[in-house]
Amino acid sequence: MEGFKGLLNQREADQKIPNLKAIEEQIYSDEEVKSFLERHKSELDPQAVRKGTSALLEFIMERDARKNQQAVKAPGLEPSLEVHNGFILVTYSRTEEAIREERERKRRRLIHSINMPKNIAEASFSNLSMTAERQDVIQELINFIEKYTPDKNEYHKGLYLSGPFGVGKTYMMGALANQISQKGVEITLVNVPTFSFEMKQAISTNKVEEKLLKIKETPILVLDDIGAEMKSAWFRDEVLMVILQYRMLQELPTFFTSNFDFNELEEHFSVSGQNNEETLKAKRLIERIRFLAKEYFVDGINHRNPS
């Protein structure tokens, strides 16, 4: 019985030999393999080449799997051949696509978006129509991006964009964020009405200071739709004033969008939820905004509801 089994095993081995030879022929006729062996012929004797057959096969299989979009041993890595101490080895390095994807992931991690519209993730100045109403603002934003450095000895003033609904103020801030993040700069965009609601909720969980710290210390801050929040003396004095006071003293770039100009925003903040006139506190807040940002009026058609 044992002899019979041995005979079968021998026949199976004999049947595999032609397949093995065919595989070897394919390996050594591969143009990249031939080129590699030619370049390194002074380093590789016939025995080393023979021992490296499995490495050459791995290289070909991994390379072709990528070309044919099949499953691969190391996704995101590209195989290559090299000689080390007289042995043929397959090494893997990141593909250009993987490098670009990683760079993009790192860039996106620099943008902190708090309750902002989804479309700002893809916002770009190239997608903005350079209308007469937008031209000066877009140029100012581009100038800021080109000139900005994290050098604390140089103050870079932000912009306060006022204007009607749907003219692209928030989208411009998204374009600013996407462009400045390509320089490796961190930026935070905050929708003020939603933020004001969340800050009130944070009182019960004792997280007001924690949330404030993240916002006030960010290298570049965008306060979007300021003035659209519910009137609140507490939010004005304990949240916005704290943020703006810190950023004014530290000279940190701060941007704003609003449906109100400076005078209208001052009126908004001069009345608390109980209709108490607090003009002085409102003026102090507006003075800090004036210090942090230059006001620009943005007009145009309403892109949310074009007529």
Side-chain angles (χ1 to χ4, degrees):
M1 179 69 78
E2 193 66 35
F4 182 68
K5 285 184 178 179
L7 181 62
L8 286 178
N9 290 337
Q10 182 61 45
R11 286 181 178 177
E12 288 175 1
D14 291 341
Q15 289 172 354
K16 289 178 182 177
I17 290 174
N19 293 333
L20 180 60
K21 287 183 178 179
I23 290 172
E24 287 182 349
E25 287 179 4
Q26 289 181 351
I27 291 172
Y28 293 112
S29 63
D30 184 271
E31 290 301 324
E32 284 192 70
V33 169
K34 287 165 63 177
S35 176
F36 169 78
L37 294 176
E38 178 64 27
R39 291 196 308 272
H40 297 279
K41 62 184 178 181
S42 62
E43 305 169 67
L44 297 169
D45 57 33
Q47 186 178 3
V49 174
R50 185 72 179 174
K51 288 181 178 179
T53 300
S54 60
L56 297 173
L57 177 60
E58 178 186 339
F59 166 76
I60 292 171
M61 292 177 66
E62 288 293 311
R63 179 202 63 192
D64 291 350
R66 283 161 176 76
K67 287 181 180 178
N68 298 322
Q69 297 183 336
Q70 297 170 341
V72 296
K73 178 180 178 181
L77 299 179
E78 195 169 37
S80 61
L81 292 167
E82 68 174 42
V83 176
H84 184 69
N85 292 333
F87 292 95
I88 298 174
L89 301 176
V90 182
T91 60
Y92 292 86
S93 57
R94 288 196 300 165
T95 64
E96 288 297 323
E97 182 181 0
I99 292 171
R100 284 195 299 270
E101 289 176 353
E102 177 61 23
R103 190 182 299 125
E104 179 64 11
R105 284 193 294 271
K106 287 181 178 179
R107 185 192 70 79
R108 289 187 179 276
R109 284 197 291 268
L110 292 169
I111 302 175
H112 308 289
S113 177
I114 303 175
N115 299 308
M116 295 292 290
K118 287 183 178 180
N119 69 336
I120 69 159
E122 307 300 329
S124 169
F125 289 114
S126 61
N127 293 331
L128 278 166
S129 301
M130 189 68 83
T131 61
E133 297 90 352
R134 292 173 169 176
Q135 186 170 355
D136 290 345
V137 175
I138 293 174
Q139 190 57 56
E140 278 291 331
L141 291 170
I142 292 173
N143 289 343
F144 174 87
I145 294 165
E146 291 175 348
K147 294 177 181 178
Y148 176 79
T149 64
D151 183 1
K152 293 187 178 181
N153 294 322
E154 185 176 358
Y155 175 46
H156 301 272
K157 198 166 186 174
L159 273 63
Y160 179 98
L161 306 186
S162 63
F165 298 101
V167 295
K169 302 185 296 297
T170 299
Y171 190 89
M172 290 181 195
M173 293 297 101
L176 166 71
N178 288 323
Q179 194 74 25
I180 201 76
S181 65
Q182 292 181 13
K183 297 178 69 173
V185 179
E186 187 177 358
I187 182 169
T188 301
L189 302 94
V190 181
N191 176 266
V192 175
T194 310
F195 178 61
S196 68
F197 176 75
E198 289 183 352
M199 289 302 291
K200 288 180 181 178
Q201 288 187 317
I203 297 173
S204 61
T205 57
N206 294 319
K207 290 187 176 180
V208 171
E209 185 60 33
E210 178 186 333
K211 289 179 175 289
L212 271 178
L213 195 64
K214 291 180 181 178
I215 302 299
K216 74 180 186 181
E217 292 186 349
T218 187
I220 299 177
L221 175 64
V222 176
L223 292 173
D224 181 60
D225 212 9
I226 189 170
E229 73 285 347
M230 293 291 291
K231 295 178 180 180
S232 165
W234 176 83
F235 182 71
R236 178 196 63 200
D237 300 336
E238 303 300 327
V239 178
L240 284 179
M241 181 61 81
V242 172
I243 292 171
L244 299 181
Q245 176 71 9
Y246 179 87
R247 299 189 68 80
M248 181 181 74
L249 293 176
Q250 299 299 318
E251 295 188 339
L252 295 172
T254 310
F255 292 78
F256 305 82
T257 74
S258 181
N259 298 128
F260 295 151
D261 61 23
F262 281 154
N263 292 330
E264 292 167 332
L265 190 67
E266 182 177 327
E267 183 180 350
H268 168 79
F269 284 124
S270 67
V271 183
S272 70
Q274 291 76 35
N275 293 321
N276 297 319
E277 293 291 338
E278 296 179 328
T279 305
L280 183 59
K281 290 181 179 180
K283 285 184 179 295
R284 290 181 65 229
L285 190 76
I286 298 302
E287 281 305 305
R288 280 148 183 78
I289 295 176
R290 288 182 184 275
F291 175 87
L292 291 165
K294 296 177 286 186
E295 183 180 13
Y296 280 84
F297 178 74
V298 183
D299 203 356
I301 63 170
N302 186 335
H303 292 274
R304 296 175 194 160
N305 298 296
S307 56

